[in-house]
Amino acid sequence: MTSNKKITRQAVSLFHRKIKEAERIAISGHINPDGDCVGACLGLCAYILDLDPKKKVDILLEPISEKFRFLAYADYIMQEKTEEEPYDLYFSLDCSDKERLGAFQELFEEARFTICVDHHISNQGFGDLRFIDADASSTCEILYDILEEKKISFDTAQCLYLGIVHDTGVFKHSNTTRKVMEIAGALIDKGVRPDFIIDETFYKKTYIQNQILGRALMESILLLDGRIIFSAIKKKDMDFYGIESGDLDGVIDQLRVTEGVECALFLYEKTEGQFKVSLRSNGKVDVRKIAEQFGGGGHVKAAGCTVEGNVRDIVNSISPLIDQQLEQGKDV
Ligand code: AMP
Ligand code: MN
Ligand code: MN
């Protein structure tokens, strides 16, 4: 356990006691699971089963990207509960609110005891026991703070490292602190290979993924004298290439690093007329505030929402809000 002022000793000992007492445990993360969410769910599962292999642990999560499937216990991920009775203990990881648990919200609510671990600033607090720290880079960082260092195995370490790598954009976002690097170092001491995790799960792309990235960049459009950039992929194009949302990872990051850009938007059509919007800021726009106006959320510099309409109308309704913040000229 590393020091974290937001986490009390009592809360940590209750966390460990609840795991010890529970027979049937469930773990869920947010819909459309990303690296932090997958790392947190699988890392916690590995930690619990390393302590006691006889425990029953179900990971109730939407199917994960192929690139994460080499992690231990990836085959524990399921979409249907295996138990009739409510779970003794249920973890919500990397979810800013219960709705983000998607289809598993009801099972979470029915559980005998619930624990929430999260780092979203918009998290208002839910669950019987809460570890919410908006200063943490990732949910995996908070989990590292809670877990007993000497009981963290290679399997758990690999998962936590993955989560930190993904939510810091490979140790480059502003959430990359000295503490993050120290935790990463401790995880490397457990045997984690940074080159393997970073290349296999972050940078490696299939041929089709590279093609779609190229297309999204080629079709991107600058607005407001180049301070906003956006690009969009329609459902018919996703179907044409045979790709899913996970194949679009990295598009928004590349848009964001375009010179002169303060705010990047990337839209993909989830179902006809309904777009997932990703927003990224370079420091002058609080994109969470904007995403929240459309029913979404996230962090100051990385947020998302789902909006109905066509690309032009959606961009036209979001860009004035960005402009307003840019006019104020404040750093976020
Ligand atoms: P994304 O653009 O999907 O990578 O999301 C960036 C950040 O915003 C992540 O921390 C997400 O958890 C959060 N986020 C994305 N979409 C939503 C949403 N619809 N509601 C709340 N938070 C979201
Ligand atoms: Mn996440
Ligand atoms: Mn996260």
Side-chain angles (χ1 to χ4, degrees), residues 12-276:
V12 170
S13 50
L14 186 56
F15 179 101
H16 292 287
R17 183 155 63 82
K18 285 291 170 187
I19 290 178
K20 212 174 207 173
E21 288 171 359
E23 279 175 23
R24 294 160 312 103
I25 301 172
I27 302 173
S28 284
H30 60 75
I31 49 175
N32 204 2
D34 57 15
D36 185 32
C37 174
V38 172
C41 291
L42 295 179
L44 181 61
C45 173
Y47 183 84
I48 295 170
L49 291 173
D50 284 338
L51 291 179
D52 182 357
K54 291 196 291 296
K55 285 218 192 286
K56 169 115 178 54
V57 183
D58 289 348
I59 306 174
L60 290 153
L61 192 63
E62 286 184 355
I64 62 170
S65 162
E66 258 326 291
K67 66 188 178 197
F68 299 136
R69 292 212 66 92
F70 70 91
L71 292 163
Y73 302 108
D75 56 349
Y76 276 46
I77 293 174
M78 54 181 87
Q79 284 78 48
E80 298 283 339
K81 63 173 180 171
T82 59
E83 298 281 323
E84 274 315 307
E85 288 283 293
Y87 288 99
D88 299 327
L89 179 59
Y90 206 125
F91 291 92
S92 165
L93 305 179
D94 203 34
C95 286
S96 52
D97 55 56
K98 281 193 273 188
E99 285 70 42
R100 299 271 294 154
L101 289 164
F104 311 115
Q105 183 183 345
E106 211 169 296
L107 286 176
F108 176 84
E109 283 167 343
E110 282 172 0
R112 302 210 163 98
F113 194 83
T114 56
I115 302 181
C116 169
V117 185
D118 184 41
H119 68 125
H120 289 91
I121 197 164
S122 52
N123 194 321
Q124 309 251 307
F126 63 95
D128 299 319
L129 180 62
R130 302 158 188 190
F131 299 86
I132 299 160
D133 177 7
D135 292 328
S137 63
S138 52
T139 297
C140 284
E141 178 183 341
I142 309 175
L143 272 181
Y144 182 87
D145 289 339
I146 301 169
L147 303 184
E148 282 185 64
E149 152 80 18
K150 61 177 186 303
K151 294 183 181 161
I152 295 178
S153 64
F154 167 74
D155 285 342
T156 302
Q158 188 155 251
C159 292
L160 299 184
Y161 188 88
L162 173 104
I164 293 172
V165 159
H166 278 252
D167 266 18
T168 59
V170 193
F171 307 112
K172 78 171 152 51
H173 297 335
S174 54
N175 57 4
T176 309
T177 57
R178 180 192 180 109
K179 179 179 166 230
V180 163
M181 299 309 270
E182 283 171 357
I183 294 173
L187 297 172
I188 290 170
D189 281 348
K190 298 266 179 191
V192 174
R193 278 190 42 205
D195 55 339
F196 173 73
I197 299 283
I198 293 170
D199 269 351
E200 286 302 313
T201 70
F202 201 89
Y203 289 116
K204 203 172 188 175
K205 300 251 178 269
T206 62
Y207 179 66
I208 293 290
Q209 287 166 346
N210 270 334
Q211 280 198 316
I212 203 85
L213 170 66
R215 178 167 169 168
L217 297 177
M218 202 158 73
E219 292 179 357
S220 65
I221 293 176
L222 292 170
L223 302 172
L224 278 182
D225 295 330
R227 286 179 298 164
I228 299 179
I229 192 165
F230 82 90
S231 190
I233 300 278
K234 300 261 182 65
K235 186 158 189 326
K236 66 173 176 21
D237 296 318
M238 293 178 67
D239 293 344
F240 174 79
Y241 286 101
I243 55 160
E244 292 172 3
S245 60
D247 297 311
L248 300 165
D249 288 353
V251 175
I252 186 73
D253 294 322
Q254 197 52 46
L255 290 171
R256 180 184 68 82
V257 293
T258 310
E259 190 161 10
V261 161
E262 288 298 342
C263 192
L265 304 177
F266 179 61
L267 294 75
Y268 72 81
E269 198 172 14
K270 282 164 72 163
T271 53
E272 210 171 307
Q274 193 195 55
F275 285 84
K276 165 71 204 282

Side-chain angles (χ1 to χ4, degrees), residues 96 100 120 276 278 280 296-299 302-306:
S96 52
R100 299 271 294 154
H120 289 91
K276 165 71 204 282
S278 285
R280 296 293 183 271
H299 311 277
C305 51
T306 297

Side-chain angles (χ1 to χ4, degrees), residues 43 143 171 260 264 284 291 308 330:
L143 272 181
F171 307 112
K284 291 207 166 61
E308 311 267 336
K330 283 196 250 148

